[in-house]
């Protein structure tokens, strides 16, 4: 398997993390991602932490969390205890989001998914990394209108006002991409948060969203190197913006290749054949999984 990169001597105190969401069983692609992050820490004498990203209470289940821990142990990974579980820290994420609200950088949005789809299509907006770009319907609601929606019992998400947020950060903002994926530009990469639009900071019924909690936790856990799949590359632009708004130091980013299925699509938790536990049950060993990963990557290179 591709050897994780070794940083030059002098780069010290490396901390990486693996941050799965317990919305299903881990598959071969997760094994690859976990080994990449773990291997990078090991190569560089660093720390490795595990974080359970379970803030989406509609999709996360405790039995998947148990399975994740079992599967990662079986792969040979070890990590520092205690494991950080995001649902135990919702008040922390809320306090950081409250800070953005105090700066006038958030607004409540009462739109349903259907309303967003329709308004986004009508305005001919492109599809962003989180789905159809938000057309800004609720951006200029008056306090009176907000009050009326609330009185009608409509729930809301909290969105980042991107236009206002961009006024608070230097236009030359960059993040450092040092990953192994040859298709991505390396080095300081200009941040373009506009492709994601007014992202959701707090979901309906939750005090946070993926973007908010991942950025807060990478900071609080002292993550120096984020090693993850290139499917999250576009999210990095918004993460770097949030880091700047909160005054956090930015980690280095290492985006790696994704494993693909026979149709050329990224592996999914719905595809049970690639689930680590299914392969374990079928008698495969972690070494077999490493070979399958090599083969998957090699097949992609053969094109
Ligand atoms: N929780 C995310 C996932 O399972 C990963 C987040 C990250 O690595 O930044 O896809």
């Amino acid at each position: 398997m591709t050897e994780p990169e070794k940083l030059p001597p002098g780069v010290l105190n490396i901390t990486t993390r693996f941050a799965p969401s317990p919305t299903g069983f881990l598959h071969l692609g997760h094994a690859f991602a976990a080994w990449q992050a773990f291997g990078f820490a090991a190569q560089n004498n660093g720390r490795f932490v595990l974080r359970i990203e379970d803030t989406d209470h509609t999709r996360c289940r405790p039995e998947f969390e148990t399975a994740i821990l079992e599967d990662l142990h079986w792969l040979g990974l070890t990590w520092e205890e205690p494991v950080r579980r995001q649902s135990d820290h919702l008040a922390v994420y809320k306090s950081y989001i409250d800070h953005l609200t105090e700066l006038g950088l958030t607004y409540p949005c009462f739109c349903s998914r259907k309303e967003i789809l329709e308004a986004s299509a009508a305005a001919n907006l492109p599809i962003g990394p989180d789905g159809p770009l938000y057309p800004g319907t609720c951006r200029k609601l008056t306090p009176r209108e907000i009050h009326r929606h609330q009185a009608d019992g409509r729930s809301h998400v909290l969105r980042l006002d991107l236009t206002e947020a961009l006024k608070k950060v230097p236009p030359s903002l960059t993040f450092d991409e040092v990953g192994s994926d040859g298709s991505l530009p390396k080095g300081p990469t200009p941040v373009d948060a506009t492709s994601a639009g007014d992202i959701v900071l707090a979901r309906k019924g939750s005090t946070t969203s993926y973007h908010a909690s991942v950025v807060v936790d990478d900071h609080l856990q002292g993550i120096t190197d984020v090693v993850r799949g290139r499917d999250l590359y576009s999210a990095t632009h918004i993460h770097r913006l949030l880091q700047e708004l909160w005054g956090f130091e930015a980690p280095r980013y290492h985006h790696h290749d994704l494993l693909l299925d026979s149709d050329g699509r990224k592996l999914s938790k719905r595809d049970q054949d690639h689930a680590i536990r299914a392969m374990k049950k079928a008698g495969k060993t972690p070494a077999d999984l490493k070979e399958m990963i090599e083969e998957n990557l090699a097949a992609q290179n053969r094109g």
Side-chain angles (χ1 to χ4, degrees):
M1 205 162 65
T2 340
E3 271 299 297
E5 181 197 2
K6 193 161 167 50
L7 292 177
V11 182
L12 296 171
N13 302 326
I14 298 297
T15 303
T16 65
R17 47 52 162 203
F18 182 55
S21 299
T23 54
F25 295 121
L26 297 187
H27 55 57
L28 195 62
H30 294 112
F32 177 49
W35 270 324
Q36 288 286 305
F38 183 74
F40 180 79
Q43 273 280 15
N44 294 287
N45 256 333
R47 297 169 54 217
F48 174 74
V49 302
L50 177 65
R51 180 197 307 152
I52 299 293
E53 302 207 325
D54 61 344
T55 58
D56 184 349
H57 60 90
T58 60
R59 293 172 60 226
C60 294
R61 302 222 306 254
E63 56 270 33
F64 290 134
E65 181 182 322
T66 307
I68 286 173
L69 300 181
E70 276 171 19
D71 289 350
L72 293 177
H73 275 305
W74 182 72
L75 294 176
L77 267 68
T78 50
W79 50 83
E80 292 182 9
E81 296 287 347
V83 171
R84 185 173 176 89
R85 187 187 299 112
Q86 290 190 323
S87 59
D88 293 338
H89 303 280
L90 295 177
V92 175
Y93 312 124
K94 181 175 182 307
S95 70
Y96 280 97
I97 296 169
D98 283 350
H99 175 65
L100 299 182
T101 301
E102 281 154 24
L103 294 174
L105 301 183
T106 74
Y107 62 89
C109 163
F110 296 86
C111 294
S112 66
R113 194 179 285 266
K114 184 162 172 277
E115 284 166 338
I116 296 173
L117 268 175
E118 285 170 2
S120 186
N124 254 329
L125 294 179
I127 304 289
D130 293 346
L133 273 203
Y134 183 64
T137 321
C138 291
R139 198 181 293 133
K140 296 283 171 254
L141 288 182
T142 61
R144 210 191 157 100
E145 288 166 323
I146 291 173
H147 184 75
R148 206 181 52 232
H149 282 313
Q150 281 169 336
D152 289 346
R154 292 186 70 170
S155 56
H156 64 81
V157 302
L158 213 55
R159 288 186 181 274
L160 179 72
D161 187 331
L162 185 66
T163 313
E164 290 305 311
L166 288 175
K167 290 180 190 162
K168 302 262 185 214
V169 301
S172 55
L173 196 61
T174 58
F175 64 86
D176 204 11
E177 173 62 44
V178 287
S180 58
D181 186 322
S183 65
L184 299 175
K186 296 286 172 297
T189 307
V191 167
D192 176 13
T194 50
S195 62
D198 287 359
I199 54 130
V200 173
L201 287 169
R203 292 189 192 96
K204 283 183 183 162
S206 171
T207 51
T208 187
S209 69
Y210 159 65
H211 293 304
S213 48
V214 81
V215 169
V216 169
D217 278 354
D218 283 343
H219 168 68
L220 294 179
Q221 294 192 291
I223 304 301
T224 58
D225 292 82
V226 173
V227 180
R228 64 184 180 190
R230 72 156 180 255
D231 50 334
L232 289 166
Y233 181 75
S234 47
T236 305
H237 291 262
I238 200 76
H239 296 175
R240 184 66 193 92
L241 172 66
L242 291 174
Q243 285 153 4
E244 194 67 16
L245 291 172
W246 280 320
F248 299 163
E249 214 170 299
R252 280 177 293 266
Y253 285 92
H254 308 240
H255 291 96
H256 58 71
D257 281 318
L258 299 175
L259 302 192
L260 303 179
D261 67 13
S262 49
D263 296 326
R265 281 189 306 248
K266 126 179 153 140
L267 300 187
S268 130
K269 282 181 181 150
R270 283 184 297 278
D271 168 8
Q272 287 305 307
D273 290 350
H274 285 104
I276 295 174
R277 49 193 37 221
M279 292 190 281
K280 178 180 162 196
K281 214 166 158 202
K284 299 237 183 291
T285 64
D288 294 331
L289 267 59
K290 282 193 179 164
E291 254 176 55
M292 291 167 75
I293 291 170
E294 277 305 346
E295 177 44 38
N296 192 298
L297 295 170
Q300 291 184 44
N301 284 335
R302 287 194 296 271

